[in-house]
Amino acid sequence: MDSHSENFEKMKAKLNEKGYKEKDVTITSGKATVSGFLYALPFVIVFGLLYRFLLVKRAHLLEVSGLSFYILFIAIIAVSVVIHELLHGIGCAAASGKGWTVVRFHISAMMPSCACKAALEKKQYLIGVLAPFAVLGLGSVLFMLVYPGTVSFLAMMVNFIAAGADLMIAVNVLKGGEILIADHPTEAGYIAFYK
């Protein structure tokens, strides 16, 4: 067991001693991907239609195709994913009031991730989980409105799809009653603690 899992188990034990029961709200990475895509789809459709019918006439379309298009697309994904996880960390650090000491960045299968090592109240947790949606998702829409084109359209799609699983988690959190929430150290999702 690694140190992060050990710390998580210690935190669970302390909360159990205080009378909290726990509910596992983790999901497989496959389900997170599919469900996240479905949660993101309405945003991609609405802003895609906005782009198509109101912005395409003044769009800055790049003459990229084939390999050049894929390189551009992968670069947008790579930059967006790193900033996405950093925003989770900033949201968690700020909302917890404990700063960077409760933030853990991790890379698994070449994919970065961020987890909060503290149990947070619902509002605090939602700030951390929705920070990328608010900053990157809505920011990329603003970018697309100001500078419509290939790059801004792709950035909008990538950033909403990347935030889809976060939206799904936020909906689950909102359904819970009075709970404390702790990111699971190795799985997608969280553990809810309730009395």
Side-chain angles (χ1 to χ4, degrees), residues 50-127:
L50 171 82
Y51 174 82
R52 172 64 184 94
F53 292 110
L54 299 178
L55 303 173
V56 79
K57 288 180 184 164
R58 62 182 183 93
H60 303 276
L61 302 175
L62 299 179
E63 296 296 323
V64 290
S65 59
L67 184 60
S68 297
F69 174 79
Y70 290 108
I71 291 170
L72 172 67
F73 193 47
I74 289 168
I76 290 170
I77 291 171
V79 170
S80 294
V81 166
V82 170
I83 296 171
H84 179 106
E85 296 306 327
L86 184 60
L87 286 167
H88 278 311
I90 291 168
C92 178
S96 70
K98 298 176 182 175
W100 291 102
T101 59
V102 297
V103 177
R104 178 178 79 95
F105 293 102
H106 178 69
I107 295 179
S108 177
M110 293 181 52
M111 284 300 293
S113 67
C114 176
C116 186
K117 299 185 286 186
L120 302 176
E121 294 175 3
K122 199 187 267 194
K123 182 177 162 187
Q124 294 171 311
Y125 189 80
L126 287 171
I127 290 170

Side-chain angles (χ1 to χ4, degrees), residues 131-150:
F133 172 80
V135 175
L136 285 178
L138 301 178
S140 62
V141 169
L142 183 60
F143 176 41
M144 191 177 74
L145 292 171
V146 172
Y147 191 82
T150 308

Side-chain angles (χ1 to χ4, degrees), residues 27 31-44 84 88 129-130 132-133 157-171:
I27 53 173
K31 184 176 180 185
T33 301
V34 172
S35 296
F37 179 78
L38 294 175
Y39 272 80
L41 198 56
F43 295 95
V44 173
H84 179 106
H88 278 311
V129 84
L130 291 175
F133 172 80
M157 280 183 34
V158 165
N159 286 307
F160 277 119
I161 291 171
D166 299 333
L167 291 172
M168 179 191 64
I169 287 170
V171 167

Side-chain angles (χ1 to χ4, degrees), residues 144-191:
M144 191 177 74
L145 292 171
V146 172
Y147 191 82
T150 308
V151 173
S152 59
F153 180 76
L154 290 175
M156 179 275 298
M157 280 183 34
V158 165
N159 286 307
F160 277 119
I161 291 171
D166 299 333
L167 291 172
M168 179 191 64
I169 287 170
V171 167
N172 284 335
V173 167
L174 289 169
K175 287 180 189 174
E178 288 300 313
I179 54 175
L180 290 176
I181 304 155
D183 278 331
H184 195 282
T186 57
E187 305 291 326
Y190 60 92
I191 303 295

